[in-house]
Amino acid sequence: MLSLFRTGLPAYVMLAALAFLAALPFISEWVDNAFLMDLFLRLMVLAIAAVSLNLILGYGGMVSFGHAAYLVIGAYAVGIPAYYGIYDGFTHIVIAVLGSAIVALLTGAIALRTKGVYFIMITMAFAQMVFFTFVSIEEYGGDDGLVIDQRSEFAGLLDIEDGLTFYYFVLVSLVLALGLVHRIVHSRFGMVISGAKGNERRMQAIGFPTYRYRLVCYVISGALCGYAGALLGNFTYFITPEMGDWVHSGELIFMVVLGGAGSLFGPVLGTAVFVLLEEYLSRFTQYWHFPFGAMLILVVIFTRGGVNGMFRWLGARIGLGAKS
Amino acid sequence: MDWGLFTIQMLNGVQLGVLLFLLAAGLTLVFGIMDFVNLAHGSLYMMGAYFCATLTQVTDSFILGVLLALPLTALLGWLVELIVVRALYTHDHLDHVLATFGLILCFDTAVDFIWGPTGMAIPLPAFLDTHVDLVGGHTFPTFRILIICAGLAVAALLYFLVAHTRIGMLIRAGASNRTMVMALGVDIGKLFALVFAVGAAFAGLAGMLIAPITEASIGMGNEIIIVAFVVIIIGGIGSIKGAFVAAMLVGLIDTMGRSFLDQLLKLFMSSQNAETSAPALSAMAIYVLMAVVLAFRPQGLFPPKVR
């Protein structure tokens, strides 16, 4: 149980989780609670964003505090064409992925010149730039946001207007995103990325241009998050710049760290804990952000390494003999 | 070109710059000395505004409100340092960011709980609620002039403290080499708690000064804190002088961009295009400035000498 959060979940736990997610629409129907499906749709969309952030944060040590910006870019890549009556899903996805990749390339090229806390603040500042840009374009609703009349169309192949189809579309997307990240981190490219996290000078000394490797990794991560944004736009039918507010970037980091940065399934677990906790706490009190924030502070002060560390810390306290 | 309007916008730019400097000074000292990233600095700005709003209502005097709210905000800052920040020195930046992010959630919710979700207006005393005549029949609010003067006075005081007093010497020494200062027998923990509390008071003062214009509202610090981060990045983290220059630069560029960029663009593009692109471009202006500065000087304009 304790190692579960450190090295990624063992295959059978993941298969069980996957089976649960696959069966959820039927469970939702069985308990007659349509909201359940909405909750898990949101969870999965955010999980894809968290998985994309984990690629650079967990494996590459690049703490991007502006990842929610790519969610917004992806969402507007659906919303703006839809505003002009273009509902073709392939177009939406290409714009979302390419648009995010270009923004990631431009901002990453500057941000990656710096390190550590400068990087955190610069990614945050660039995300605010994206945020204010969408706020100031009144043609697309500015502050008030943009309503999307219908979901993307996939030339008759898929009808994601249908709730069940959309659910499985997102589920498959999540699995593919996990597969992509798994492939990347186990490739030679991924080794260089995590090598540069550990000791950049050494990687350079043995001949790797780490800046370029990092930039490519940052662009891939941004593009994947843009894809999550396109799903988010389709999910909510309504987009506002507010989705890219830096507070949401902070939440994404929280999800990744909570589940355990640098493990494949950690971000999914962190997102699940985050979304379900948010749902649970907000039923008790409208002031749920307070216990939530306090918990966040306590987790950070008393543990290192998110839920993983917390479990180990608890384990050590109650004498489970877990090594801390 | 309407030079009266130009002057007014220049003054507005300086006013924003002064507020940004009040915020950035605490932020940059805390980072420079203890290497601590405090996202919740904007919450202290908000708390200052709310303390001042309440005390102004109770005492029926804005001046008294500010004078009483200042030590209260400093006390709050000191408590935050004692309870949360102190436990995090040995952690890395990511932990600082996460924990202070949690603090923001707590502060915003606490304000909602105590003062309610709507903002709080601060009434100005009659002698401040007037206008000053400028050339060309334009007027400028007296209160905004007071903000500029107060901000510049605090900046001068801070300069004197940091450059010419013993405690300032320790602060400067701490910002460039903390280990050496500790080795010389200075209790850097106490020094830092002091700096943190004073920084909180400055942030609070900025909130108190802006609240009569914009109201005290939940999350008011969360937007401006990013701009304050941009300021200290441009200025060079840990440098008071850099923070001042960058705050003025950012304040002026932001204000002037919002007011005159459309006119500038009309010189070389159609007026319709200019009017649609100007708002987006002026919203980006300070971030573009940051990008340009970093492209040439990744360490900022005036980095502290040795780290």
Side-chain angles (χ1 to χ4, degrees), chain B residues 262-275:
Chain B
D262 53 339
Q263 290 178 28
L264 190 71
L265 289 179
K266 273 178 195 165
L267 295 178
F268 46 87
M269 60 167 77
S270 76
S271 77
Q272 200 204 339
N273 279 349
E275 262 158 38

Side-chain angles (χ1 to χ4, degrees), chain A residues 63 65 110 113 117-118 121-122 124-125 128-129 133 136 246-247 257 287 289-290 293-294 296-297 300-301 304, chain B residues 31 37 90-91 94-95 97-99 101-102 104 106 109 113 222 226 229 233 237 280 284 287 290-291 294-295 298:
Chain A
V63 185
F65 211 112
I110 295 167
R113 282 173 56 85
V117 72
Y118 279 83
M121 292 181 190
I122 288 160
M124 185 149 90
Q128 284 304 95
M129 180 167 120
T133 306
S136 62
W246 68 274
V247 174
V257 174
Y287 304 110
H289 267 122
F290 193 89
L296 179 48
I297 298 170
V300 172
I301 290 182
R304 288 169 197 230
Chain B
F31 187 85
V37 190
T90 52
H91 292 225
L94 180 58
D95 279 1
V97 164
L98 278 172
F101 179 68
I104 290 177
C106 289
T109 320
F113 184 73
N222 299 353
I226 310 287
F229 274 124
I233 291 172
I237 292 181
M284 290 178 168
Y287 304 104
M290 181 187 79
L294 285 176

